[in-house]
Amino acid sequence: MRGALVSLAATALFAGGALAGRMIDGRLAADRASSDNSTYDYIVIGSGPGGGPLACDLARAGYSTLLIEAGDDQGDNPIYSELGNFNTAGNDPDSRWDFWIKHSDDPVREKEFAHYTYRTTNGSFYVGTEPPAGATPLGIQYPRAGTLGGCAMHNGGVCSLPQDDDWNIVVNMTGDTSWEADKMRKYLIKVEKNTYLPANTTGHGFNGWLSTAVQPARWAHDNTLPATRVLKKMAELTGQNVSDVANLVNQDILGDYPHKDTLNAFYNMAQHEDKGGKRSSPNNYIKATLKDPKNYPLTVRLNTLATRVLFADSKNTTTKIPQANGVEVMSGASLYGADPRHTNANVTKQGPVSKVWARREVIVAGGAFNSPQILKLSGVGPAAELTKFKIPVVKDLPGVGERLADNYEGSLLALGQQPVGGGIITLMFKSPNATGPNRNIFTWCGAFSFEGFWPGFPTDYGPNEYECAMVHINPHSQAGTVRLASADPQVPPDINFNFFLNNGTEDLQHLAEAANLLRTAWQAAGAPVLPFNEKHPCPGTGAGNCTDADERALLKTQAYSHHASSSCAIGAENDPLAVLDSKFRVRGVHGLRVVDASAFPRVPGAFPVLPTIMLSAKAAEEIISDAKKGTQ
């Protein structure tokens, strides 16, 4: 969900005047110089699901907009454009940024993670718990995408909506009723180009830029399949109509059902792709905006590392509130230290530094890791941390980089004696002893293997593999941090999610209960699939081959994640850790906003890409409204 800070090449899509759309490769000196020291109405840092659509919307509204992207353009590369290649895309060094994160402050626990990664003495990776002599510990891989379109270019494309409470929390914190859940749906309608429902179906959009599609689930009509037997048992265990499962698995996951957040229900998983399996992402919207014959005033700079936001004193001599008025950038390929090519001998380690200027506002959209880093490098963040790195304090804002949140993820993975068959089962349900009315588990089951991230993921266990991957929605602990490791903008920050630090026992119990329910459903597969040889969380073939305590312990050390949010969160005015107000404005300064997943007060549902795109559309509406009123 980022795209803020560098990677490889592209060329101008077409020539134009000063306000015509164009894309500039940061390595082309003439083109770069033409935008250095230039002034735009808005500068957006990061082209992912937050920043990319926002820049397009601002340009389409007639405002000259510079979009700064740290990566290149991989939009025509089949590894990225074909959504089915997402695992390959996630491993591709042409876009991959390797963040080596921690799950806790306990080094022993960290190295119990099965895919903990080391750098060996010959420069290769070792993944596992028994590293060779001399290997340097790196951490747990958390790849982000450094390319035009951000992480929407390497993800699995899953589209789901947050619970109503995830929108309404902003209303409760700030009093801004525009965030009410029933009002937020208009942004889905605005951005969506639905391909799987009859035109004009209520609650959906059909003329937006983001295509959504589903896969046929005809297999669920075949009662001879082991997968269908498993499906029916899942229905029984979650209180659904067993005789109607073939229809239930085609339910619209983006539908606006009464009491939808409390329902145990199957769905057909929607993805941001067209009917032909082509990925639909901000990359497409950016290029469509650049190519439009209306010559919208959008300029895109690739291979451009945003190093800090620039400030001037406010024109109001009474308040002296700092005013964001530009961005310092460094031009070149693979400048950021998380880029695996950064250490290559043929890569320039530092590029030329220049400045670009904003008449109206600077919008940071680097994602949950890079947005707090950019703010801190710019002097906006906890004063003690900035002082430690000799960064002049522009605004002491203690919440920057705090309250980092993520869903917990785990997986029930086993090998059958024969393939289970069928297709993907998507199920949202409430674990048996979860508190509150809302469901808390999103699971998708099928013949695949996904166990988190490490160099070269995933492991292919062959045709007999079967998995239910689980996302724990709205975990109780939100105690992660993004802290500077250096004042050098090329050095990635220190990231610690502090998994299970608060109420961890409760969350682990919910995950274990979900795994137990799914494991029970698997037994319905029958012969010749059974017995399943479980890989994790309870290895072996016996029904009771690990205790609840064992299962919780294994889930604690092996949980993973890839939905980071909330490190620059919206919050109440009297909250000392609030970074943004409800209009995405950074508190205590003028002309600066953050628009990406870091703005959410908590992780928005199971998968944040679609909520972040909706958030971007809301931000565009707010910014354009303020511009027309002259109240930035």
Side-chain angles (χ1 to χ4, degrees), residues 574-590:
N574 61 356
D575 180 354
L577 295 182
V579 177
L580 310 177
D581 68 10
S582 65
K583 297 182 182 295
F584 308 95
R585 296 176 296 205
V586 177
R587 294 184 180 276
V589 298
H590 285 163

Side-chain angles (χ1 to χ4, degrees), residues 198-424:
N200 301 318
T201 299
T202 301
H204 280 279
F206 296 86
N207 300 302
W209 60 266
L210 185 75
S211 294
T212 57
V214 298
Q215 302 300 316
R218 290 185 290 270
W219 63 269
H221 290 271
D222 186 349
N223 290 317
T224 67
L225 288 174
T228 306
R229 296 195 288 270
V230 171
L231 175 66
K232 289 184 174 183
K233 188 63 176 180
M234 286 182 183
E236 176 189 327
L237 294 172
T238 56
Q240 300 181 72
N241 186 348
V242 175
S243 64
D244 197 34
V245 291
N247 293 317
L248 295 179
V249 293
N250 276 307
Q251 287 189 107
D252 176 20
I253 197 169
L254 302 180
D256 192 11
Y257 308 110
H259 312 294
K260 62 182 182 300
D261 296 337
T262 64
L263 298 175
N264 291 340
F266 295 117
Y267 297 101
N268 197 332
M269 184 184 289
Q271 294 173 285
H272 52 87
E273 63 177 340
D274 65 18
K275 285 185 176 180
K278 296 285 187 181
R279 183 184 293 273
S280 179
S281 79
N283 183 291
N284 305 97
Y285 191 31
I286 293 163
K287 287 183 177 178
T289 302
L290 291 169
K291 292 179 179 179
D292 196 291
K294 294 180 181 178
N295 278 354
Y296 293 119
L298 175 65
T299 298
V300 179
R301 278 189 59 159
L302 302 176
N303 290 327
T304 302
L305 177 70
T307 58
R308 64 185 175 115
V309 177
L310 304 171
F311 290 90
D313 286 337
S314 171
K315 294 178 181 179
N316 187 325
T317 57
T318 303
T319 60
K320 293 288 186 182
I321 297 176
Q323 172 79 35
N325 68 347
V327 179
E328 181 183 85
V329 298
M330 184 185 297
S331 300
S334 300
L335 291 174
Y336 194 53
D339 188 319
R341 300 164 298 174
H342 180 68
T343 57
N344 290 354
N346 60 345
V347 171
T348 302
K349 298 303 181 283
Q350 288 189 326
V353 175
S354 59
K355 296 175 181 178
V356 287
W357 305 98
R359 295 184 193 91
R360 294 181 176 274
E361 295 187 36
V362 175
I363 299 107
V364 178
F369 299 161
N370 291 121
S371 283
Q373 181 183 17
I374 292 169
L375 290 184
K376 290 180 179 184
L377 292 171
S378 308
V380 178
E385 184 179 352
L386 303 184
T387 301
K388 173 184 174 182
F389 290 100
K390 297 181 172 55
I391 298 172
V393 177
V394 173
K395 173 61 181 177
D396 179 11
L397 209 55
V400 176
E402 301 299 304
R403 291 176 174 168
L404 175 68
D406 210 332
N407 294 321
Y408 298 134
E409 297 183 52
S411 54
L412 179 69
L413 175 64
L415 303 182
Q417 303 305 305
Q418 289 192 17
V420 177
I424 297 296

Side-chain angles (χ1 to χ4, degrees), residues 71-129:
D72 66 352
D73 174 20
Q74 295 287 338
D76 295 328
N77 182 342
I79 290 174
Y80 300 86
S81 62
E82 300 288 340
L83 186 59
N85 293 331
F86 63 90
N87 281 334
T88 303
N91 279 293
D92 188 8
D94 281 351
S95 73
R96 193 186 80 236
W97 280 10
D98 294 330
F99 289 92
W100 303 105
I101 62 94
K102 292 182 284 189
H103 285 164
S104 73
D105 283 326
D106 181 350
V108 175
R109 171 180 152 190
E110 292 298 286
K111 292 175 183 179
E112 291 175 349
F113 186 68
H115 300 115
Y116 194 89
T117 304
Y118 297 77
R119 181 80 68 184
T120 68
T121 54
N122 66 8
S124 63
F125 291 124
Y126 168 82
V127 178
T129 58

